[in-house]
Amino acid sequence: MAIKHNQTLISNHFRKDWQRRVRTHFDQPGRKTRRRTARQAKAAALAPRPVDKLRPIVRCPTLKYNRRVRAGRGFTLTELKEAGISKSLAPTIGVSVDFRRQNLSEEGFAANVARLKAYKERLILLPPQVQRPQEG
C-alpha cells in the first residue's frame, strides 16, 4: 500500500547513537605533545647521527611560487661529483640522491655543492670495526 498525501513517517526514528559517528579532536593538544616527545626520543636514540637525510635546496615550480625555496627530493649526480662524493657512498652517509633531477641554474647548483661540502666537513665516520680503523 503506497503512502499518499502528507502523512507522518511511521516507526522511523532518526535519533540513533550519533556520538559514535562524530569525530571530535579534543585530543589535539595531547597528540601534539606526544608527537614532540616522540621526535625528541628519536633524536636522542640516534644521538650523533642526524634524524633526517640531507636534502638539496630547490625552487618551487610555477610562476606563483618560484621565489620560494624548499627542500628537494635529492641531490643530482653532477652535484655529488662536484662535491667529491660517489653516488654509491651518498645514501650510506645520509645524503639523499635524485637520479632524475637536472640542474637548471648555476646559482642553485653552486648552493647545493656548497651545502654538500659543508656537510662533508662536519661528517665524522666511525669505523665499522674498532680494531682496524681506516686511513682518513
Side-chain angles (χ1 to χ4, degrees):
M1 182 169 115
I3 297 175
K4 290 184 178 180
H5 311 300
N6 192 15
Q7 276 98 20
T8 59
L9 294 173
I10 305 156
S11 73
N12 289 337
H13 67 94
F14 299 107
R15 296 183 180 84
K16 293 190 170 74
D17 186 16
W18 62 274
Q19 279 127 347
R20 260 192 322 126
R21 293 168 175 84
V22 173
R23 181 78 178 101
T24 58
H25 296 281
F26 299 134
D27 59 346
Q28 187 180 17
R31 280 188 182 275
K32 181 181 176 181
T33 55
R34 191 188 313 158
R35 278 196 298 268
R36 185 172 180 208
T37 54
R39 279 194 296 268
Q40 288 172 345
K42 182 179 180 181
L46 294 175
R49 290 182 285 169
V51 178
D52 294 322
K53 289 192 166 199
L54 183 72
R55 299 198 181 271
I57 298 296
V58 296
R59 288 209 168 266
C60 295
T62 72
L63 193 64
K64 182 178 181 181
Y65 297 107
N66 67 1
R67 67 187 169 278
R68 191 171 162 266
V69 293
R70 62 172 175 84
R73 180 187 171 89
F75 291 94
T76 61
L77 297 178
T78 51
E79 287 168 350
L80 290 170
K81 192 174 188 179
E82 187 73 24
I85 301 171
S86 67
K87 64 180 180 181
S88 58
L89 177 72
T92 64
I93 60 173
V95 176
S96 58
V97 182
D98 188 5
F99 300 102
R100 298 167 299 179
R101 207 179 114 236
Q102 299 292 319
N103 293 112
L104 299 177
S105 70
E106 289 295 323
E107 295 86 8
F109 176 74
N112 283 328
V113 169
R115 190 171 161 84
L116 279 168
K117 285 181 178 174
Y119 180 77
K120 195 176 170 185
E121 285 175 10
R122 292 193 317 264
L123 190 66
I124 299 170
L125 287 176
L126 299 174
Q129 293 179 347
V130 184
Q131 292 85 8
R132 296 185 296 134
Q134 293 175 336
E135 288 293 321

